[in-house]
Amino acid sequence: KTEYDPKRPQLKHPNTVAWNGDDGATSAAAGTVNTNSPGIRLSPDGAFLSGRGGIGAPEAKIFEVRRKKVKGVVEPVFDSISSKGVMTLVPATTGAKVADVAFCGEADNLKLHHVSLGIVGCDDGSVEVWDLDVDYRVGADPRYLASIRLFGGDGEGGVGGVAGGKKIVCVAASVAVSSVGNNDQHDGNASRYRIAVATSDSALHLLSYDVETTSLSVDFSIEDSAHKEGVGELQFCPSSDHYLYSTGKNNSKEVFSWKLS
């Protein structure tokens, strides 16, 4: 059964399967979950996994990646994926659909002030930030923090100034400490994170989220990414948010590197 509208197109094979990287084996014990999405995201700290929306989904389920202690091994190792979602990301705007999902925050979940954020790009042109550092084990869902609309649901210009029948194609978020602004550190963690959004007109939009003020703003846009087929995927450099990588759609072999500052 599916909790989504049966009239909405469903994926033929919506499952996400955990594989053993040592021997290539998979088992039900390792974890097979229905993300109902053409792609998945893994949080920087490895604690959560989520589908990416993109097929008219009204929400995105977040699953827990469970670990266990093994004798002789210092760090806990992978055990399984929760069979059911432990949290749900639902766009704040009524009726909006999930276009893409990204995780943002600290890779080290042992820090005193751990930052774990869910970024949702919606089909109404908005980008939302959600706090995932909640007590989900007792049923708490992500806490809404901020949003900004790049364009209206009909493609008209929004707060970010993006206009003309656009759609959000994909989003990406930084893991490294952001260099945007003057006060980059607080309590040993990043105070700002960068978010990249690709739209259907082959443009790229760079946003910043401020942890202290919980504000989201557009830094600048690159109106032409030079991908002839349009942007297919985005990824920040894992060690520095000075650099962003983009690939084209339709199995394009083009990969561009963008220096952002």
Side-chain angles (χ1 to χ4, degrees), residues 48-63:
F48 302 116
L49 177 148
S50 172
R52 295 183 57 177
I55 54 171
E59 62 187 26
K61 293 287 188 182
I62 298 176
F63 298 83

Side-chain angles (χ1 to χ4, degrees), residues 12-30:
K12 186 176 181 180
H13 301 291
N15 288 342
T16 294
V17 181
W19 298 82
N20 187 319
D22 294 327
D23 57 19
T26 181
S27 67

Side-chain angles (χ1 to χ4, degrees), residues 78-167:
F78 173 81
D79 181 33
S80 63
I81 302 173
S82 61
S83 59
K84 296 181 179 180
V86 296
M87 289 184 281
T88 305
L89 288 169
V90 181
T93 303
T94 302
K97 308 298 183 184
V98 178
D100 197 11
V101 174
F103 289 104
C104 184
E106 301 290 338
D108 183 1
N109 61 8
L110 297 179
K111 286 189 176 182
L112 179 60
H113 300 288
H114 179 58
V115 177
S116 182
L117 305 173
I119 312 299
V120 180
C122 305
D123 68 348
D124 68 345
S126 61
V127 179
E128 303 175 353
V129 181
W130 295 79
D131 183 9
L132 304 182
D133 190 19
V134 297
D135 196 355
Y136 60 88
R137 291 184 176 87
V138 296
D141 267 326
R143 183 170 62 92
Y144 172 81
L145 294 173
S147 67
I148 192 168
R149 181 166 290 187
L150 297 177
F151 50 86
D154 56 359
E156 295 300 323
V159 176
V162 184
K166 311 298 186 284
K167 292 183 179 180

Side-chain angles (χ1 to χ4, degrees), residues 201-204 222-228 230-231 246 254 256 258:
D201 59 340
S202 194
L204 302 177
I222 301 171
E223 297 301 333
D224 183 6
S225 67
H227 287 292
K228 297 178 181 179
V231 179
S246 64
E254 294 179 330
F256 295 155
W258 304 88

